[in-house]
Amino acid sequence: MGTVVDAQNMKYGRKVIVVFVLGGPGSGKGTQCANIVQHFGYTHLSAGDLLRAEIKSGSENGTMIQSMIKEGKIVPSEITVKLLQQAMQESGNDKFLIDGFPRNEENRETFESVTGIAPEFVLFFDCPEEEMEKRLLSRKQGREDDNMETIRKRFKVYMESSLPVVEYYSSKGNVRKIDAVKQVDAVFEDVKAIFNSTIEKVAPYEDFPTSLNTKMP
C-alpha cells in the first residue's frame, strides 16, 4: 500500500490520502468516481476537467492547453500539478480521487516530487479500445475532443504513455484492477469491495485534522 511521506505531513500539517484513478478515455472513470465520492467521502479531482476549466477561463495557459488537447498531446506536468494542488487546497478535504492523472511517467514523478504524496493505491479501469471508442462516440457531451480522429490520437497517447504508469505501480503491488466492461452497477460493486478492503487499513479519516493551515506552494 502506498504511503504519504513524512515531508508531506510536515508540509500540510495532516495526512493526505490520494487514490489515482486510471484507465483509457471512455473506460467509465468519471461515473465511478462520482459513486465513490457519494459512498466514501472523497473529493473527486479530474485532471481533464481542471484543464478544460482553465481553457474556459481564457488565460494564456488555457489557450496553450486548448491547442495541445486538440492535437491529442499531453499538457506539461507542471501546469497540471499546479491546478491539482490548487484544487486540493481549496477543497478542505483530506481524501482525493485524482482522475486521469498521472498520464505518463513525467506526470507521476512531478506529482510525487512536488507534493511529497505517493498514492494509497491506483484504481485501474481495464477496458478494450473498441468498447471505449463506442462509448465516446455515443455520449454526446459536446466535447470537441469527442471525434474519431482525436479519439484515436488519445488512444495512442494512452497506450504509449499511460500504461507504463500502471505497470510502474503494478510492479509495486499498488494497482487494483477493475473489469470496466461490466454494467455500471456491477463495476461499482467491484470498486466498493476494493475500497472496503483497502481503506479500512488506513487510520480513520476523523483522526486527521480537517483544515489545511499551510498553503500549497
Side-chain angles (χ1 to χ4, degrees), residues 7-22:
Q8 171 64 13
N9 291 324
M10 292 172 60
K11 182 183 292 187
Y12 302 119
R14 57 177 172 75
K15 179 168 181 173
V16 175
I17 298 172
V18 166
V19 174
F20 287 148
V21 183
L22 298 177

Side-chain angles (χ1 to χ4, degrees), residues 26-70:
S27 60
K29 302 187 305 297
T31 298
Q32 296 302 328
C33 283
N35 289 334
I36 296 166
V37 167
Q38 181 179 356
H39 284 78
F40 294 99
Y42 280 67
T43 293
H44 175 210
L45 299 178
S46 164
D49 286 350
L50 290 173
L51 291 168
R52 282 185 285 275
E54 188 71 10
I55 291 171
K56 189 176 180 180
S57 74
S59 69
E60 183 177 346
N61 274 346
T63 301
M64 183 269 293
I65 291 167
Q66 184 175 39
S67 296
M68 298 192 75
I69 289 177
K70 282 184 178 179

Side-chain angles (χ1 to χ4, degrees), residues 108-119:
R108 179 190 65 76
E109 292 171 359
T110 300
F111 183 87
E112 292 191 4
S113 65
V114 170
T115 67
I117 301 173

Side-chain angles (χ1 to χ4, degrees), residues 140-184:
K140 301 184 184 304
Q141 291 182 346
R143 282 175 50 179
E144 62 184 88
D145 55 338
D146 281 349
N147 60 74
M148 184 65 73
E149 181 182 358
T150 305
I151 284 171
R152 287 179 176 167
K153 286 181 180 177
R154 291 168 67 196
F155 284 149
K156 185 174 185 292
V157 170
Y158 167 67
M159 294 298 294
E160 293 177 352
S161 300
S162 297
L163 281 183
V165 175
V166 176
E167 291 166 0
Y168 169 84
Y169 286 115
S170 182
S171 71
K172 296 180 174 295
N174 213 23
V175 171
R176 309 292 183 268
K177 185 164 76 170
I178 293 289
D179 179 0
V181 179
K182 297 180 182 179
Q183 293 296 315
V184 172

Side-chain angles (χ1 to χ4, degrees), residues 118-138:
E120 289 294 331
F121 61 91
V122 174
L123 190 63
F124 173 53
F125 289 87
D126 190 20
C127 191
E129 184 173 323
E130 295 79 8
E131 176 67 19
M132 292 189 288
E133 181 176 302
K134 182 175 71 175
R135 292 176 181 180
L136 290 172
L137 291 174
S138 65

